[in-house]
Amino acid sequence: MASVWEALRLRMLRRRLLWRAFRARARLTEVVRRPIPKGAILCFGCIRNEGARLPWFLQHHRKLGVDRFLFVDNGSTDGSAAWLAREPDVSLWTTGDSYKASRFGLDWVNALLMRYGSGHWCLTLDADELFTFPEEHRGLRALTDWLDAHGAAEMAALMLDLYPKGPLGGTHTPGQNPLELLPYFDPDGYSRTRMPRYAHVSIRGGPRARVFFRDTPERAPHLHKTPLIRWHWRYAYLSSTHLALPERLNAGFQRPDLPTGALLHTKFLPELLQRSDEEKARAAPFTHPDRYGDYYDGLIAAPDFWHPGSARYENPGQLENLGLIQRGLWASGQEM
Amino acid sequence: MTVGFVMLCHTALERAAEVARHWAERGCPVVIHVDRRVARLAYDGLVQSLADLGNVRFSARFACEWGTWGIVAATQEASALMLRDFPDVRHVYLASGSCLPLRPVEEMKAYLDDRPRTDFIESVTTSDVGWTVGGLNLERFTLRFPFSWRSQRKAFDWYVSLQRKLGFRRQIPAGIEPHLGSQWWCLTRQTLSAILENPDRAAIDRYFRRVWIPDESYFQTMVRQFSTNVESRSLTLAKFDYQGKPHIFYDDHLQLLRRSDCFVARKIWPQADKLYDTFLRGNSQGQASAEPNPGKIDRLFSKAVDRRTKGRAGLYMHSRYPNENWENGRTAAPYSVFEGFSEVFENFEAWLGKVAGTRAHGHLFALDRAHFAGNESVFSGALSDSAKLRDYAPKNFLSNLIWNTRGERQCFQFGPGDRQDISWFIACDPNAQISVITGAWAIPLFHSNKNFGDIRREAAWLQREETYHVGILRSHFAKARIRIWTLAEFVENPMEPLQSIIDEISPRSQRRLTEAPRLADLKGFGQFLQNLRNQGMQPVMMGDFPTGEDPAPAASRRGRPYLVK
């Protein structure tokens, strides 16, 4: 009986999210919209003043095999919206609404997913995330074909915080590969907890947990995401791309047969220092924004995340050997 | 004499056309069957693109849903057309639209010319196959399967178990010995025509129509009736994962496919341009007489699948959270847990590190923080000494530690005063070597300068914790290497247990211990225990410690005891 009520609760929650998304669509102003070919792989995102990150972001994901990008621009002032609108594979909407009131942009993204994502493989990312997965050189199309053949509708990815050696800082020229500035990550020290609430696995750890949440690990940022989903208009993201509904979409980390990927998280680029003030005001983290005041103050203080155990990022194969991502049953071409 | 190809296609028709053209232009007739569910437009396009080739035919179309009779019907129809229209054909090769020839057609022809009477078809009796998905072997032939395994799995399973319960059985037609095998075969004209022109064919087809996955059993069974020379293997390289789904080959499999020396491989990802370019248009001359060698790929794939699904021993995959204890081992390497030793001996950790050549940590699970060796605050691989971080996921903490330091044995102290959450984990880990001196927690209390009331309360608490912990160690679930002494037993003869523990930690050193760690001062300890008793607390974990008099060998050997060899 309990499970029936639980299912009902989730269904109502999902419907509420869809309703919000439906309403949010009216608040989006179309700037440019490109036709979407059948079977195209789409990338969705909500951005604001990401002019420096976007060129590399687009280049990286085009190379992976994303066919079309669909962005919502939330009042950028750095000219990035105009730049985006000129890109041939980018569709762009703008809105001046409150980021916070639209559940941190998620209502807008859900709206676009509902309208344009149904039936497509959709990669939903933030501008500071670079998606990668085992056998990346085969491309996204090979991956999604394989997932289709195995009846999987989702793929999970671990957020991997990248950081420099020494305190945050330096200069990042727009279009530069962020990995040149942020070559290090934590190869270990991640914890996983199975959460019954949305049938997902909560992963925490990484440099932020190590430095800022030593004493409150249960408040450290979540690192599990499900960025790649074969979308259906009845699906909805619940909390960033950490959680999706229906809850079977959260199973990606629980299936040993499916590949998982990583999101190279380039949050700690130098821009961050100027932006943390603003972010603090925008209260970007999802749950309990009040608890993160110290966290932003810590970021503004330009900490040094590096320690002797840090690893230098090389390629997805390295992440696989470290056990951070897995290939599941997707067979390798190399002898191991 | 030549070989004719029957191709069953349902997707990626452009690729199928390329392959068909490759074969047809090299003098091999091709009959193509296209799934009826393919749209007419696409089908017409395929027919158009091959219209210039005189030795390509298209057979009547059937709907080929996975695991259904349609695939067999399509094969029969196309094969009959092949035998009828191309009298030159001696071997008929069944291929799919996602097959790719790996070796020149001439080599294949020569290979088959050397074996003109041989039928290449994997054909194994039902009792000998170990690879069927769903666990159905003989029952494929004796039950009914009205529900689709892929889209109506629950109904499928329910109906199978219902038939089992009711004891329902279909009658297998007389003279038929069920065999199973790969769908992809290469049969001689004689055998194939005998199967197709069999006077009983109508009855047999009627029976097989209701068999589950008949494409893996129809020809495999019938060939046993008519062939004089069955070579039970497939000439097509096709690998399956444990879910019964075919592995897909990509550009990066090029070298592997080359070295396999197989004639045909499936299934190829349609956009693997490099593979298609290399094998269809390149001049990949292998060793002309090489025997196909799928074993190489076999080994590689099974190794990969094994490792990818199990994970390596002790490495928790951060990327996933499988079922509890599903991991391939809890920890990566052996490690030692010492309970009570650092209380009984002075400076035990330093001694242990020196003697055994290991990392000897303090109490890793202490309440205040993780006491790493050398008092480091971050240990290898980003392990923090923060107690909160550790207690958030203690199992991960320990297995991360063991994984990060593999190659170097880890030892740590544990006791009833520590966080106990890890007890079950280490007790059930075959990699753990746990040595316990029960009751040793009383020694620090004995040396402490506290009010006796506080000491009594603390002793009661520690004893309760330890009793519970030892209960876990003694449970029949425990898999660790566990040794337990009472304090009284241990101090009577400390060297022998120490020697056996050290021998186990570094078996190669084979040294007698010459230097023992210094025992803590136990003068008056017996009286201390008696005082506890007098105050109403019953200390039992330290064993039968004599009251009043002090343990003879221990107390008298105060100082540095040396063992005489």
Side-chain angles (χ1 to χ4, degrees), chain A residues 188 192 215 253 257 330, chain B residues 243 250 316 319-321 404:
Chain A
D188 219 321
R192 305 148 309 147
D215 301 322
F253 281 113
D257 55 329
W330 204 26
Chain B
Q243 296 177 335
Y250 300 89
Y316 270 87
S319 49
R320 66 173 197 231
Y321 193 87
N404 287 335

Side-chain angles (χ1 to χ4, degrees), chain B residues 326-347:
Chain B
W326 200 86
E327 300 283 353
N328 185 14
R330 293 169 174 237
T331 48
Y335 58 96
S336 303
V337 185
F338 290 92
E339 305 185 14
F341 285 73
S342 58
E343 286 79 16
V344 171
F345 297 109
E346 289 169 11
N347 228 345

